[in-house]
Amino acid sequence: MAQDQLQVLNALDVAKTQWYHFTAIVIAGMGFFTDAYDLFCISLVTKLLGRIYFHVPDSQKPGTLPPSVSSAINGVALVGTLAGQLFFGWLGDKLGRKKVYGLTLMLMCVCSLASGLSFGNSPKAVMATLCFFRFWLGFGIGGDYPLSATIMSEYANKKTRGAFIAAVFAMQGFGILAGGIFAILISAAFDARFPAPSYDMDAVGSTVPQADYVWRIILMVGALPAALTYYWRMKMPETARYTALVAKNAKQAVSDMEKVLQTEIKEEPEKVEKLASGGPTWGLFSKEFARRHGLHLLGTTTTWFLLDIAFYSQNLFQKDIFSAVGWIPSAKSMNAIQEVYRIARAQTLIALCSTVPGYWFTVALIDRIGRFAIQIMGFFFMTVFMFALAIPYNHWTHPDNRIGFVIMYALTFFFANFGPNATTFVVPAEIFPARLRSTCHGISAASGKAGAIVGAFGFLYLAQSQDPAKTDKGYPPGIGVRNSLIMLGVVNLIGLLFTFLVPEAKGKSLEEVSKENEDDQEETV
């Protein structure tokens, strides 16, 4: 038997789009802005770190990070993010979204600043410091996934909820652009102020001492957007759904939402009393949760896991693409700071042409065609383009065909963002009950980050040439790029099939889609 919905929750569901919706998008989205800025910027400065700290005298090529160091710097933030998603997701349901929300932001601010500092000046000390603070930076970023998604879903109206949650996630696109543009500006300014010869002209002189400031400034500026929104996060009231349905304080929920919506909401003493005296009590590890939401959780975790394997594997052939179209010349023909400039410019162009538009296509269409249709379509086209890149791979390696390769590559990631990369973030914030919403979103997101680790590192080794003489320095032979692309196409196809486990939430209230108001049938096991 279903219970009547509280008036305060109904008022949120039918509210017209107002200014507070847009402020909530910006406040919640700044965490993702910082997340994308950080993950993007580290890929810009790893080459510079290799030149500064791992220079080999008399070598024909500039210094590069050893595979173990490179994996640690890139991977430690992903591991921290995974841990943060699980921990803060659970904490958001236990203590409330608002109480935990400021903590994640402070962690991001402090660790962004600290990752530009070093305890000592030896390569080992600098890398150890960077890895330590990047883990905790990732931990804070991880907390932002379940909390931002849950807060936005609980504040939004049911008509445009998908677009609002997707818009929070789409702030990643602006973070990528900001990271690239800032790196371009800083590297151009330093190169103008401290000119240096290319590596093949003067190996030592090509890396000026001031280059050490470039990567530190780029990383530390990531703290700014997060710090600027801290005050506004603390001013946001707790969501009405948490206050009423989890904390059982419907009177406070009414008071908070009257200020937010700037309208009078009818108090319902009988419903409030009934709510306070009972309600479903089954937990995450109960038979009742497994019966109602077990397949839903399996669907959200597997689709996010499979999507991120493909999404984070993009760095496999990014360097080949940039070199092929002449965006990045050979490393020895540039000085250290020029290399940062060229890489930042190339990645910013890719982001501008494929990554960012994909996010905003999702925002525009998610409440018209639905989450399910966008996710199916996205996985389908990612599968098609991965196979189209892989099967005639030798065709694409010819110089005349490389522009076609770039277009196919860009379309693959356009349909990742206008597809499962956005919807896997939106759906877990809608389909689970309020008291488990943040936890289930955190579990789904952590599953995604596990896929990211497989994609970023497993395929980094797999994609190495089968010929030992052609592998990157320090890596064993793999299965080659062509076979890796075929595997990724299969991964996307499996993701498409698991999408059928996830229900459509378009146009429904959170209580309707999660069946929150149904009386419980099973106590916590």
Side-chain angles (χ1 to χ4, degrees):
M1 193 183 101
Q3 302 166 359
D4 292 332
Q5 190 177 24
L6 285 169
Q7 184 64 35
V8 64
L9 304 186
N10 189 57
L12 282 166
D13 278 340
V14 300
K16 288 180 180 174
T17 300
Q18 297 173 36
W19 183 246
Y20 83 87
H21 285 123
F22 296 108
T23 56
I25 287 169
V26 173
I27 293 165
M30 272 305 150
F32 287 94
F33 185 99
T34 304
D35 167 25
Y37 181 98
D38 167 69
L39 292 177
F40 179 77
C41 281
I42 198 68
S43 67
L44 302 180
V45 300
T46 45
K47 298 267 189 192
L48 180 60
L49 289 169
R51 285 192 185 231
I52 296 170
Y53 294 105
F54 294 91
H55 171 69
V56 179
D58 302 321
S59 171
Q60 293 296 308
K61 292 181 180 178
T64 56
L65 295 178
S68 58
V69 176
S70 180
S71 296
I73 287 173
N74 288 294
V76 76
L78 295 176
V79 174
T81 304
L82 189 155
Q85 285 162 337
L86 292 171
F87 177 71
F88 287 114
W90 167 78
L91 207 61
D93 283 333
K94 289 293 173 193
L95 302 180
R97 293 44 163 144
K98 184 191 170 178
K99 282 183 182 173
V100 186
Y101 210 27
L103 184 60
T104 61
L105 205 64
M106 282 309 298
L107 202 51
M108 280 191 265
C109 286
V110 171
C111 293
S112 281
L113 287 172
S115 59
L117 306 174
S118 305
F119 300 138
N121 58 3
S122 69
K124 199 171 182 180
V126 173
M127 298 305 135
T129 309
L130 190 57
C131 288
F132 176 80
F133 286 115
R134 278 183 61 73
F135 173 84
W136 290 108
L137 174 63
F139 195 69
I141 286 168
D144 233 58
Y145 275 72
L147 294 169
S148 289
T150 301
I151 284 170
M152 198 65 242
S153 76
E154 293 181 347
Y155 262 106
N157 59 49
K158 63 184 179 183
K159 188 179 174 186
T160 56
R161 184 179 62 239
F164 288 153
I165 305 171
V168 167
F169 193 63
M171 293 293 279
Q172 282 192 331
F174 290 129
I176 290 170
L177 283 181
I181 291 166
F182 184 72
I184 288 168
L185 294 173
I186 284 291
S187 55
F190 269 75
D191 193 40
R193 180 71 181 81
F194 307 105
S198 61
Y199 185 86
D200 53 10
M201 289 176 67
D202 182 353
V204 175
S206 68
T207 306
V208 294
Q210 291 82 2
D212 198 44
Y213 293 114
V214 172
W215 70 268
R216 296 176 192 275
I217 292 167
I218 290 171
L219 293 184
M220 292 169 88
V221 164
L224 270 180
L228 291 171
T229 50
Y230 181 77
Y231 170 76
W232 298 107
R233 278 202 182 187
M234 293 299 91
K235 290 268 286 182
M236 281 179 92
E238 181 58 86
T239 72
R241 284 181 161 90
Y242 183 87
T243 308
L245 300 174
V246 184
K248 310 288 187 190
N249 188 349
K251 197 170 180 181
Q252 183 63 47
V254 169
S255 170
D256 288 343
M257 289 309 107
E258 279 182 337
K259 291 173 193 167
V260 169
L261 296 169
Q262 297 181 332
T263 185
E264 197 172 322
I265 299 170
K266 189 178 132 190
E267 288 203 24
E268 303 162 291
E270 288 179 14
K271 281 189 193 173
V272 169
E273 198 175 320
K274 189 178 177 184
L275 190 73
S277 63
T281 56
W282 43 267
L284 182 65
F285 300 106
S286 65
K287 288 180 185 174
E288 188 64 14
F289 178 86
R291 185 182 73 82
R292 294 191 190 201
H293 297 293
L295 285 177
H296 298 162
L297 188 59
L298 178 65
T300 58
T301 51
T302 49
T303 51
W304 206 337
F305 174 78
L306 294 163
L307 173 273
D308 272 7
I309 290 177
F311 192 77
Y312 279 81
S313 69
Q314 63 182 298
N315 58 7
L316 295 182
F317 32 88
Q318 209 166 59
K319 65 178 187 295
D320 300 326
I321 285 169
F322 294 157
S323 300
V325 295
W327 286 352
I328 302 179
S330 66
K332 64 183 180 182
S333 68
M334 300 177 282
N335 67 42
I337 296 173
Q338 284 168 350
E339 190 173 29
V340 174
Y341 176 85
R342 291 290 193 132
I343 295 169
R345 192 180 67 172
Q347 293 201 13
T348 304
L349 282 168
I350 286 281
L352 205 54
C353 296
S354 69
T355 310
V356 175
Y359 283 125
W360 292 100
F361 266 77
T362 303
V363 173
L365 295 172
I366 192 167
D367 288 311
R368 295 184 186 180
I369 63 176
R371 293 84 168 125
F372 180 81
I374 288 177
Q375 188 157 312
I376 288 283
M377 177 196 67
F379 270 129
F380 173 77
F381 280 111
M382 286 176 75
T383 305
V384 168
F385 287 122
M386 285 287 190
F387 283 141
L389 286 169
I391 293 165
Y393 183 68
N394 290 334
H395 167 81
W396 297 118
T397 57
H398 294 170
D400 295 346
N401 304 324
R402 281 172 172 176
I403 294 297
F405 188 87
V406 173
I407 293 167
M408 301 280 272
Y409 169 83
L411 283 169
T412 306
F413 292 98
F414 171 81
F415 281 106
N417 291 316
F418 180 35
N421 193 36
T423 52
T424 51
F425 176 78
V426 173
V427 172
E430 301 180 300
I431 63 175
F432 299 106
R435 68 187 184 284
L436 298 171
R437 187 169 291 137
S438 180
T439 303
C440 290
H441 194 285
I443 292 168
S444 304
S447 175
K449 275 296 170 279
I453 292 164
V454 172
F457 303 107
F459 277 90
L460 192 62
Y461 284 87
L462 278 176
Q464 294 297 322
S465 173
Q466 292 166 308
D467 181 353
K470 293 181 181 176
T471 60
D472 290 342
K473 187 182 173 185
Y475 289 92
I479 61 172
V481 173
R482 181 177 182 271
N483 292 333
S484 296
L485 285 169
I486 291 171
M487 282 183 70
L488 291 168
V490 172
V491 163
N492 290 324
L493 188 59
I494 298 168
L496 186 153
L497 298 174
F498 273 103
T499 299
F500 287 93
L501 295 177
V502 181
E504 179 58 75
K506 177 170 79 91
K508 298 176 183 176
S509 77
L510 293 175
E511 289 67 46
E512 187 184 350
V513 73
S514 68
K515 298 182 170 57
E516 182 105 22
N517 291 337
E518 286 186 7
D519 289 339
D520 57 321
Q521 298 171 17
E522 179 100 14
E523 295 297 306
T524 306
V525 176

